Amino acid sequence: MGTRTTDTTATDTTTPEAEAPDKTTPEAKAPDATASDTTSKDATDADDATAPDDAAATYVMEGLPEEDAPRPAAGVAAGAGAVVAAGLGLASVTGTWLGTLMAERQTLLGQIKLQTGKTTDQIAAVYGTPWHTTALVNGVVAVLGMLVAAVTLTRARATWARALAWGGLALGVLGLVIAAGMYLDLFAAMPSMPSTPQPGGPPMGH
C-alpha cells in the first residue's frame, strides 16, 4: 500500500510541471509578431530614406552639387530659353517677316520721295535704304538671340538644352556678321547709275 501511494503522489506532482510550457506558448509567440512588424516598418523607412539619396547620387554623377540641383520649373524655363535662342539665331541668318515688312515700307517711302521731288537718288531711295533696313533688323534679332542663349547657358543643366543654346549662340554670331556685311555693303557694292553723255560731246565711236 505504501508503494502505491508514493507512485500516485509522484505522478500528480509532475503533471503541472509538464503542462507549464503549454501555458507559456502564447507568450512566446507575441514577441515574434512584434519583431516582424518592427522589421517591416524599418524596411519601409529605409526605402523612403534612400529615395533622396538616389536623387543626390544622380546629381553627383553628373558633376553637379546637390544644393544646385535644378528644379522642374527652372528646367522648363531653361529648355524654353534654348529653343527661343535657336529660333532667333536661325531667323537672323535667314531673315524675318519683320525685316521684310520694314524693307517694303522703306521702298514705298522712297517712291513717294521720288514722286514728290524730295530726293533725286533713285537707287538709294528704292534699293539702298530697304537693304540697309533689312540688315539692321536682322542684326537686332541676332543680338537678341545671343543674349537669350547666354542667359540660358548660365541656367541650363540638361545636356540637350545646353547644346541647343550653344547652337543658337553660334547662329546669332553668324547672323550678326551677315547683317554687318549687308549694312556696310561688304558683300556687294551699291549699284550706281551709268553716267550719261553731256549734250554736244564727241560722237560715239570717236
Side-chain angles (χ1 to χ4, degrees):
M1 295 299 289
T3 303
R4 289 181 182 178
T5 303
T6 304
D7 294 341
T8 303
T9 304
T11 302
D12 295 340
T13 304
T14 55
T15 299
E17 294 178 359
E19 294 177 354
D22 295 335
K23 295 181 180 180
T24 58
T25 300
E27 296 177 359
K29 291 181 179 179
D32 294 339
T34 304
S36 178
D37 295 339
T38 305
T39 304
S40 300
K41 184 177 180 181
D42 294 341
T44 303
D45 295 340
D47 293 339
D48 295 339
T50 54
D53 295 338
D54 293 340
T58 302
Y59 296 129
V60 171
M61 291 178 62
E62 294 180 356
L64 302 175
E66 184 178 355
E67 61 272 14
D68 295 338
R71 297 179 180 178
V76 172
V83 174
V84 171
L88 290 174
L90 183 61
S92 68
V93 175
T94 60
T96 61
W97 173 81
L98 179 61
T100 302
L101 182 64
M102 294 299 295
E104 292 176 353
R105 181 177 183 275
Q106 291 299 324
T107 301
L108 179 60
L109 291 177
Q111 292 175 352
I112 294 173
K113 289 180 180 180
L114 287 174
Q115 292 178 358
T116 56
K118 293 182 179 180
T119 182
T120 58
D121 193 347
Q122 182 178 359
I123 295 177
V126 179
Y127 174 79
T129 303
W131 178 266
H132 293 161
T133 301
T134 301
L136 184 62
V137 173
N138 290 347
V140 172
V141 173
V143 172
L144 289 177
M146 293 168 59
L147 291 176
V148 174
V151 173
T152 302
L153 287 173
T154 60
R155 298 178 179 274
R157 294 293 182 268
T159 303
W160 69 269
R162 295 184 63 84
L164 198 60
W166 277 113
L169 182 61
L171 289 174
V173 172
L174 181 60
L176 184 61
V177 171
I178 295 175
M182 291 175 58
Y183 191 84
L184 299 176
D185 299 326
L186 298 179
F187 302 126
M190 186 69 63
S192 60
M193 294 290 292
S195 58
T196 58
Q198 297 293 330
M204 298 298 292
H206 294 278

